[in-house]
Amino acid sequence: MSINRAEKITIWTASIAIISFILSRIFHAQLYYMIPDMIYLFFHSGVEFLSFAVSFTMLVLGWLFFLKSLSRQRLYTAALFSVVGLFDMLHALTIEGMPFFRFVGDTSLSELFDATGQLIGSVGLFFIFRRNDQPVSASKRLPAVTVAIGMGAALAALYFSLADLPPLYFMTGEPLHYVRSAVETIIVFAYMVTIGTIMYRNRNEQPEALLTIVQSLVFFLFSNLQFILGGSTHDTDMMIGHIYKLAGYYCLMKGIYFVTIEEPFKEQKRAESRINFLAYHDELTGLSNRRLLTERLNSEMQRAKQQSSRLAIFLLDIDRFKTINDALGHTFGDQMLQAVSQRLRHAVGKPDRLFRMGGDEFVVLLPEIGDTDQVTAQKHAESLMGLFDAPFVLGEAEYHVTISLGISFYPQDGESVDLLLKNADTAMYSAKVHRNEFSSYTPDMNMKAHDRLRLESDLRRALEQEQFMLTYQPLVNLQSGKVVGVEALVRWHHPQRGLLPPGEFIPLTEENGLILPLGEWVLRAACKQNKAWQDVGLPPMMMSVNLSMRQFRQHQLAERIRSILEQTGMEPRYLELEITESMTSDVEFATETLASLKKLGVQISIDDFGTGYSSLVYLKKFPIDKLKIDRSFVSELSENGSDAAIVTTITSMAKHLKLKVTAEGVENDEQIQFLRERNCEEAQGFYFTKPIPANLFEHWYRLRSQTA
């Protein structure tokens, strides 16, 4: 176990006190001599008045400074030594040779005040430090000090009155000897026990202030031992004892100073430093924040203007981060942000060039990039994008995330901080249309940004006016060729823009929360249509509906779906809910939610299987019925051996897990043949038909049934 500086000082101090005491006893005969009365009186008076000054200083320190951090040990030590200081002063004023010298029996007032002060100090310190410290209110200062000084003054007055009375029994002869021995024993024992108590109670962590107080107690202990062993009141034994006493007072005042002034001051400085740090840094990641970015960017722009140079800023954020938060919770989201910031910090290198704007947005500053700014910026952007090729390992799982990045340049894209950031943000949203891309700002992007805002506004109106419609793509059994189900796909019939595919508006609904009411509308409309087809004579078939991440995390999802099924009259066994692999990352929540959905009697499938993260250990435990192979693996089956191997592996695995398999994006006979040979049960894609409205699907279905 390592020893800190304060512990080393305490060990050395105790060693010096012990060694010096031993040496003084070994060489006692050589060192011992009587001190002339006047010299001793001068020396003794000086020592006692210094003791009083130290006691008064401790009272002031405990009374005036850092009242918010006032503690029980601070307050009671100050009150205790206000009494000890009083008795030290009275001891000096009543010693032989001083005006107030008086005898009390076979002793003197001076000895009474000295012994009482030592007794009160030693026993008082034991009671103060035998318990853990705790804060006390500043209002307790006056009662504590008043009571202490009042009791000390009353006892001093009693001693003065004894000088004018006949001597008491225990103030003379042999009884006085026993009383003196008992008091000396209690004082020494109290110091020893207090030292042991402090060291034991603070054995794991030993604050510097308490160690300094231990040093003072060691000197007080040897001071009293020296007084006990002394033969006279005017010899070198007494002088050495008073030197020990002064050393003890010095260490005690130093310890009280640490507790009263230095430690609160350091704590205040640490708090101020923390506040100053948080004013310019992000608390979660430790990166510089937007305020520091503004100051730094202003400074770099001024320098670039003076040197006729250029600079660039990269504004990036994590794709689908809100979905990550919704799926896995904000605590996991914070962990992801910390991991991303750490990776960016290592890549950027210089801490004054990386900033967190807030949320999942980060800024990288590239000053003085030179004339070939586009090429340099592009290389840096590609390097940053490449950072996210490797997965993030959080807990026991790996997570793949991508970023979108926007670039703006000074001075051509803006000559102010706000404009540069705004244009970089516009460029980032342009890149986010396709995700995992970067884009440099161009003026026409503002039009696209405004168009995006108008589209978001139109979305709210579209929900109110039910401008959405569903198209249906059949799911065909590859062995029998029969249509066994359909997948409902939403389209937006925009009044001015015409029919919009999901890719143009679904990301917006996920960002602004409209995905919840839209998803509920899709589910209700799909169930209603399936029941309508059954009512007009079409055989019952499976209706497949996608659930968004936010829907999957929605409160009482199973109850909402149950209500829709009851309202539309569709049997639960004909509803298939499609989720993605990312929704199952939170295994406990996914298991509970899927179990509640299965109780309804609906079917569960995992869509886009193979493109996300799935633990096979948990996959076999989830109550799912089907895996849907993503179209990216099916589209190049004949050209890419890896895709063929992946599809073969998925179908084989699903067979062993007793799950159905549907292949998406089927477009030609070669793909159909390959999938049949691999025992893939179902397929959907343009090979059969594009997604079509309900009336056309009914016509297509009847025509196919007639020609089959």
Side-chain angles (χ1 to χ4, degrees), residues 544-608:
S544 186
V545 180
N546 289 280
L547 285 182
S548 69
M549 181 71 79
R550 287 200 173 192
Q551 279 182 285
F552 191 68
R553 303 285 299 188
Q554 195 174 15
H555 182 60
Q556 294 185 332
L557 175 62
E559 292 302 316
R560 293 173 182 273
I561 294 176
R562 184 198 304 275
S563 176
I564 290 173
L565 290 170
E566 291 175 352
Q567 292 171 17
T568 58
M570 194 181 86
E571 294 183 42
R573 59 178 172 156
Y574 296 124
L575 175 61
E576 180 179 273
L577 299 173
E578 296 186 14
I579 64 172
T580 60
E581 290 178 271
S582 58
M583 297 184 192
T584 64
S585 298
D586 187 342
V587 176
E588 183 177 350
F589 177 83
T591 303
E592 182 180 344
T593 303
L594 292 175
S596 65
L597 293 174
K598 286 298 293 181
K599 285 182 181 179
L600 297 178
V602 302
Q603 302 290 297
I604 305 291
S605 67
I606 295 185
D607 194 18
D608 301 334

Side-chain angles (χ1 to χ4, degrees), residues 7 21 75 106 196 203 229 243 256 283 335 355 378 425 449 457 502 506 533 599 625 675 691 707:
E7 291 172 335
F21 178 77
L75 176 60
D106 292 342
R203 59 191 180 278
L229 297 174
I243 293 174
I256 298 301
E283 185 174 11
Q335 294 175 359
F355 308 83
Q378 183 172 341
D425 189 61
S457 178
I506 289 297
W533 280 334
K599 285 182 181 179
D625 305 284
L675 293 169
T707 58

Side-chain angles (χ1 to χ4, degrees), residues 603-618:
Q603 302 290 297
I604 305 291
S605 67
I606 295 185
D607 194 18
D608 301 334
F609 188 77
T611 60
Y613 168 83
S614 288
S615 170
L616 299 182
V617 174
Y618 293 115

Side-chain angles (χ1 to χ4, degrees), residues 186-426:
I186 292 173
I187 292 171
V188 171
F189 183 75
Y191 281 133
M192 294 175 64
V193 172
T194 306
I195 293 171
T197 300
I198 293 175
M199 297 301 293
Y200 178 77
R201 295 187 69 86
N202 299 275
R203 59 191 180 278
N204 296 323
E205 182 180 0
Q206 297 175 339
E208 184 176 1
L210 284 178
L211 288 175
T212 309
I213 289 173
V214 168
Q215 297 169 28
S216 72
L217 294 175
V218 170
F219 280 116
F220 285 146
L221 171 63
F222 286 108
S223 172
N224 278 274
L225 288 175
Q226 194 70 23
F227 291 151
I228 293 171
L229 297 174
S232 171
T233 59
H234 293 68
D235 57 14
T236 51
D237 287 336
M238 288 296 176
M239 184 177 70
I240 294 173
H242 280 95
I243 293 174
Y244 281 136
K245 182 178 178 181
L246 276 181
Y249 269 113
Y250 168 76
C251 292
L252 184 63
M253 186 176 68
K254 187 178 176 183
I256 298 301
Y257 172 81
F258 278 136
V259 174
T260 308
I261 302 294
E262 188 161 320
E263 288 183 355
F265 179 74
K266 287 181 178 179
E267 185 64 31
Q268 180 174 315
K269 295 300 291 184
R270 284 193 292 266
E272 291 175 355
S273 177
R274 178 66 175 166
I275 292 171
N276 185 64
F277 178 83
L278 292 178
Y280 290 96
H281 293 81
D282 171 56
E283 185 174 11
L284 178 65
T285 63
L287 297 179
S288 303
N289 62 12
R290 183 166 189 152
R291 177 181 296 175
L292 192 54
L293 169 64
T294 301
E295 294 183 6
R296 173 73 172 158
L297 191 51
N298 266 319
S299 175
E300 290 297 336
M301 287 165 59
Q302 290 296 325
R303 182 183 304 173
K305 186 175 182 180
Q306 293 171 2
Q307 299 176 357
S308 299
S309 62
R310 299 172 179 175
L311 64 84
I313 60 171
F314 293 173
L315 197 153
L316 60 95
D317 79 351
I318 303 170
D319 294 330
R320 300 177 64 86
F321 183 71
K322 290 185 179 179
T323 302
I324 294 174
N325 262 342
D326 290 340
L328 304 176
H330 289 279
T331 300
F332 178 87
D334 287 346
Q335 294 175 359
M336 178 64 73
L337 287 172
Q338 290 171 332
V340 168
S341 66
Q342 192 67 20
R343 190 170 291 186
L344 288 172
R345 184 185 283 112
H346 287 154
V348 174
K350 297 183 178 180
D352 60 343
R353 295 188 180 181
L354 178 62
F355 308 83
R356 184 187 176 201
M357 292 281 286
D360 62 323
E361 289 188 341
F362 299 85
V363 168
V364 178
L365 175 61
L366 294 179
E368 301 178 6
I369 58 175
D371 294 332
T372 57
D373 50 358
Q374 295 288 350
V375 176
T376 304
Q378 183 172 341
K379 289 181 179 179
H380 280 287
E382 290 173 350
S383 176
L384 287 176
M385 301 294 291
L387 290 176
F388 295 85
D389 292 340
F392 289 89
V393 180
L394 299 176
E396 299 179 354
E398 293 183 347
Y399 299 90
H400 290 268
V401 299
T402 59
I403 63 169
S404 296
L405 186 150
I407 310 171
S408 66
F409 298 92
Y410 172 87
Q412 60 263 42
D413 296 332
E415 296 187 357
S416 70
V417 172
D418 290 340
L419 189 56
L420 276 176
L421 291 175
K422 171 183 171 295
N423 290 339
D425 189 61
T426 300

Side-chain angles (χ1 to χ4, degrees), residues 40-41 44-45 48 90-102 108-111 233-234 242:
Y40 181 80
L41 181 62
H44 178 269
S45 300
E48 297 304 332
L90 293 174
H91 168 59
L93 293 175
T94 56
I95 197 170
E96 187 176 359
M98 297 296 285
F100 300 102
F101 175 74
R102 297 283 191 281
S108 66
L109 279 176
S110 179
E111 291 183 5
T233 59
H234 293 68
H242 280 95

